[in-house]
Amino acid sequence: MSIPQKKIYTIYLPIALVNAIDAMHIDGVRRTTAIQIVWSILLCQKRAFRDEESFVTIPRSYFLAISSNCYRALTPLKEVTTHHGAPQAIVEVERNAQGKESYSKDKSRPKGYRVNPKFLKGPLVTVTYTGDSKRRKQRTLSAQMHTWLQSDSAQLTIEGDEARRYTNDYVSNLDLQEWRVDDTSAEYRDDEVLIDVRFGTRSKTYNCKTRALLKKLHQAGNGEQVFRAGKGGFVVATASEFKRRKVDDILRGWKRAIRGLEENSFEPERVSTNNRLVTQLTEFPKQLLPFVLVDGVELEEVDIANSQVAFLVFVLEHGDILGAGLTIPPLTSSPETRRFFEEAKAGTIYQDFARCCGRERDWGKREIFRLLFSSNPAQWPSWKKFVEQYGAVATWLLEFNRVNQERFGNEDAPRNLAVYLQRLEADIMIDRVYPRLKQAELTAFTKHDSLLCPPWDCREATAIMKQVFAEVGFEAVVSIKPTIHPPVAAPIIQPSVTLPWPTTPTLSWKASSSNELLSEDDLQDLLDVLGSLEESQGQVL
C-alpha cells in the first residue's frame, strides 16, 4: 500500500471567499484545513443542488479544527428546528463506517455549516494548497520503468488554448441523446429493469422497469426524463438539470486534464489491484487526444480489437496463466465454442453478436461486457441470444460464477474475472511489450490495452507487439488508428463570476430497499411525493 504523498492542488474560488479563508487561517485554523472544509461544503451544496441558504453536515474531525471565532467564511446552524423538532435543511453527506451520521450530537455544537452566501459572488481567483494525495493501492515502479516514462512524458506537448476552445464548444453544443433513455433506446425495446435509478440528486436509488418508468414520467408531464449516469446507474431529471451537471463534470475533468499535461505534474503509478499502469494519458479524454503532440505531430493509436474477450479466450485455452489461484472450469468443445474463439480472435465478436440480435456494435459491446462480468448474467434480456450463439461458453460462465462465488462470495467472482483479465493484459502490455519498445528506442505511451505513438514509430511498435503476442501464444488483431481531429472550436466562453444555486426540496419519503423492483403502484406513489415536494418550494416534510 502506498504512503500518502504531499501534492499541490489548484481550485478556483471567489476572491471574497479567499480573503475570508485567510482570516480563518489568521485565527488559528491551518490554511489547508480551512480550504478543504470550505471547498467540501461548497461542493456538497452545489452537488446536491441546494440553494445557498442550506446547511451541510461535516465530519467530527472538522469540528475540532474550527474554533468558535472562525466563522468569517462559514456560518453555523445551531438550534434552528422545524415544527417536527428536526434540524432544518441539513444535507446529510457524511457518515462513518457504521453508517451513522458523523456530525456532533452535542446540542452546544452546531448541527451544520454553510459557506457565507455574501462571499459567493465576484471574480474567481486561483487558490493552491498542499495536501495528502490519497491514491489507489499501488506498486513501486522500477527505476528503469520510471526513467522510460519520464523520458516519454517530457516529449509531450498540448495545444492548450485550442483544447480549451474545443472544450467550451463541445459543452455549449452538448447533445444529450448519447445519455437519454427513450422509446428508441435498447433499454426500452427490451423493457429492461433499470438498476440504481436515482431521482434528481437524491441519494436513494430504486430499480424500475423501463417502460413503466417512462410512461409514468410522460403522464406526470413535468419534463423529467431518464438518463444514463455512468457505472450502470440512471438518473431521472429534466434535460436542463442533467445537462448542467454533465457540463460541470466535463469542464472540471477536461480542463484538469489539459492543465496536468501543460504542467507535466502527473506521477505515473502501478495499481496493485489489477497491476495496470496509470499515466497522464491513460484516462485522458479521447476527444482531446488530437491536441496532444510529440514534436508537433498528433499521436496514433495501436489498438487490440475486443481485447478483454481475446484475453478471456487466451485463458480458456491455457488455464490460470498467472497462477493467481482462480478456478478455471473446463470448457466443452463445440461448434459454438469454436465460433466464440474465432470471432474473438478476429476482433469481430461485438458486431457479430449485435448483428445476430439486429442491433448496432456499441450495443453488442455493452452486452458482451455485461454478460461476461455479471454475477447473474441470466437476468439480462440478451442472455438467451448469447446461449443460442455460444452455448458452451455460456455454460462455462455460469459454472465459473458458481465455483468462484463459493470461494470469494457473491460479489467477488465477477470482479475477480475482470481483474484477472486486466492483470493478464498488464503482464503482456506493460511487463513484456513496453520494455521491448523502449529497448528499440521507440516513443510510446501505454493506454491499458493499446499504445499511443507518433506516426513514425507506429509500424515498428505494431510489429514488436505482434512478435511478443506470438511468443506467449496470444492471438488477436492489432490495428493502427489515427486520432480523429475534432471540428473547429468556437471562441472561448468566459466563465461566470457567480455561482448558481438552483433549488431542490429535501426528500424524506421512505420506500423499499434499493435492491427491490418498484411496482407500478410504488412508482406512482414515489412520483406523487416528488411532485408534492416540487410544489412545496423547499419545505421540509
Side-chain angles (χ1 to χ4, degrees):
M1 184 174 180
S2 63
I3 299 175
Q5 300 176 351
K6 294 296 182 180
K7 182 178 179 180
I8 297 177
Y9 295 88
T10 301
I11 58 177
Y12 300 90
L13 294 174
I15 188 170
L17 184 56
V18 174
N19 293 333
I21 289 175
D22 291 339
M24 291 178 66
H25 174 56
I26 293 173
D27 281 348
V29 180
R30 289 181 62 242
R31 186 172 185 273
T32 294
T33 302
I35 293 174
Q36 289 175 332
I37 292 172
V38 172
W39 182 241
S40 298
I41 293 176
L42 200 60
L43 285 181
C44 289
Q45 287 180 284
K46 188 175 182 181
R47 186 180 300 118
F49 275 18
R50 308 291 174 176
D51 59 30
E52 58 190 22
E53 301 299 323
S54 296
F55 290 81
V56 177
T57 60
I58 61 177
R60 173 182 286 271
S61 59
Y62 280 176
F63 281 102
L64 302 178
I66 303 177
S67 68
S68 58
N69 298 323
C70 297
Y71 294 146
R72 289 186 175 87
L74 302 174
T75 54
L77 171 67
K78 289 190 175 180
E79 296 302 319
V80 181
T81 58
T82 65
H83 61 280
H84 296 294
Q88 181 179 350
I90 288 184
V91 186
E92 297 181 3
V93 294
E94 295 289 347
R95 295 178 182 275
N96 61 18
Q98 289 73 38
K100 295 182 180 180
E101 300 165 356
S102 57
Y103 58 82
S104 173
K105 300 296 183 181
D106 186 351
K107 290 186 178 180
S108 64
R109 287 188 176 275
K111 301 297 184 182
Y113 286 92
R114 70 181 181 193
V115 177
N116 196 325
K118 69 180 182 180
F119 298 134
L120 296 180
K121 297 181 180 180
L124 300 178
V125 296
T126 302
V127 179
T128 59
Y129 67 96
T130 303
D132 291 334
S133 176
K134 298 180 180 179
R135 294 186 174 182
R136 294 161 285 198
K137 294 181 179 179
Q138 56 180 287
R139 290 175 48 192
T140 302
L141 290 174
S142 67
Q144 181 64 78
M145 178 74 73
H146 195 273
T147 300
W148 284 335
L149 293 171
Q150 290 292 342
S151 174
D152 285 339
S153 177
Q155 301 181 58
L156 283 175
T157 58
I158 184 170
E159 297 176 314
D161 292 340
E162 293 297 322
R164 290 184 180 88
R165 289 191 185 95
Y166 174 73
T167 298
N168 285 307
D169 181 62
Y170 180 85
V171 298
S172 64
N173 297 284
L174 192 65
D175 184 5
L176 299 184
Q177 192 59 40
E178 177 183 349
W179 300 279
R180 183 181 287 112
V181 176
D182 55 23
D183 56 6
T184 65
S185 304
E187 294 90 346
Y188 182 88
R189 282 179 281 178
D190 295 331
D191 197 18
E192 291 182 12
V193 175
L194 302 182
I195 308 299
D196 292 337
V197 179
R198 181 165 42 84
F199 289 80
T201 58
R202 303 169 180 92
S203 59
K204 183 73 176 178
T205 60
Y206 309 86
N207 295 347
C208 306
K209 296 280 281 186
T210 304
R211 294 181 182 177
L213 177 58
L214 290 179
K215 179 181 178 182
K216 295 297 182 182
L217 292 176
H218 178 72
Q219 292 174 346
N222 56 8
E224 289 186 325
Q225 304 174 48
V226 182
F227 297 93
R228 302 178 190 91
K231 297 185 179 179
F234 299 84
V235 63
V236 174
T238 63
S240 59
E241 290 172 346
F242 180 80
K243 184 173 184 178
R244 180 170 49 202
R245 293 197 293 270
K246 181 62 67 174
V247 166
D248 184 60
D249 290 343
I250 292 173
L251 286 176
R252 183 170 58 250
W254 289 20
K255 292 188 177 181
R256 184 188 302 120
I258 296 169
R259 188 168 61 251
L261 263 186
E262 288 178 328
E263 300 172 356
N264 195 20
S265 59
F266 190 91
E267 280 294 322
E269 63 183 35
R270 197 78 182 267
V271 183
S272 64
T273 307
N274 55 22
N275 212 15
R276 281 180 158 179
L277 177 65
V278 180
T279 69
Q280 67 267 57
L281 289 184
T282 304
E283 299 172 0
F284 196 80
K286 63 180 181 180
Q287 295 91 339
L288 299 181
L289 279 177
F291 300 107
V292 180
L293 311 175
V294 171
D295 290 342
V297 179
E298 298 172 15
L299 300 173
E300 294 185 349
E301 185 175 16
V302 182
D303 182 57
I304 306 173
N306 52 239
S307 61
Q308 294 304 302
V309 186
F311 284 120
L312 174 59
V313 169
F314 189 36
V315 172
L316 293 175
E317 290 180 329
H318 298 86
D320 184 8
I321 304 166
L322 299 177
L326 199 65
T327 301
I328 310 294
L331 176 65
T332 304
S333 178
S334 68
E336 292 85 0
T337 302
R338 288 192 292 273
R339 181 190 303 121
F340 184 86
F341 281 28
E342 291 170 358
E343 292 176 0
K345 293 177 180 180
T348 62
I349 193 167
Y350 299 148
Q351 51 264 47
D352 289 342
F353 182 63
R355 188 183 304 112
C356 74
C357 299
R359 302 295 178 84
E360 65 284 351
R361 183 186 182 278
D362 288 344
W363 179 90
K365 181 176 181 178
R366 186 196 70 170
E367 293 303 307
I368 289 290
F369 268 72
R370 191 153 67 169
L371 296 174
L372 292 181
F373 305 124
S374 170
S375 59
N376 180 24
Q379 68 179 308
W380 305 113
S382 58
W383 174 250
K384 291 182 179 180
K385 199 66 177 179
F386 188 84
V387 172
E388 178 185 323
Q389 291 294 113
Y390 317 111
V393 178
T395 301
W396 176 89
L397 191 58
L398 293 176
E399 179 64 11
F400 173 88
N401 286 339
R402 185 191 67 79
V403 171
N404 288 282
Q405 282 171 6
E406 292 177 357
R407 294 184 57 197
F408 302 108
N410 290 334
E411 297 300 326
D412 284 345
R415 183 161 56 247
N416 271 273
L417 177 59
V419 170
Y420 185 92
L421 297 180
Q422 291 169 354
R423 291 181 69 87
L424 178 58
E425 163 208 287
D427 178 77
I428 295 176
M429 295 296 295
I430 307 302
D431 296 331
R432 299 174 187 268
V433 173
Y434 185 68
R436 296 274 279 273
L437 297 174
K438 299 313 298 176
Q439 290 166 8
E441 299 183 348
L442 302 183
T443 299
F445 307 90
T446 62
K447 205 168 187 286
H448 298 325
D449 60 349
S450 63
L451 301 171
L452 291 171
C453 303
W456 52 85
D457 285 340
C458 278
R459 291 189 181 278
E460 189 174 352
T462 303
I464 292 175
M465 186 184 296
K466 290 180 178 179
Q467 183 180 355
V468 173
F469 289 173
E471 291 172 0
V472 300
F474 175 59
E475 298 181 50
V477 172
V478 180
S479 59
I480 300 175
K481 301 186 298 185
T483 53
I484 301 175
H485 206 284
V488 177
I492 294 179
I493 301 174
Q494 296 297 329
S496 173
V497 296
T498 61
L499 298 178
W501 295 97
T503 59
T504 300
T506 302
L507 174 65
S508 59
W509 185 74
K510 303 296 182 183
S512 57
S513 61
S514 60
N515 60 355
E516 297 179 0
L517 177 64
L518 277 184
S519 67
E520 291 205 27
D521 291 339
D522 288 339
L523 179 58
Q524 186 59 56
D525 291 342
L526 174 61
L527 294 174
D528 290 343
V529 170
L530 295 176
S532 65
L533 284 174
E534 295 296 335
E535 295 174 1
S536 69
Q537 293 296 322
Q539 297 178 3
V540 178
L541 296 183

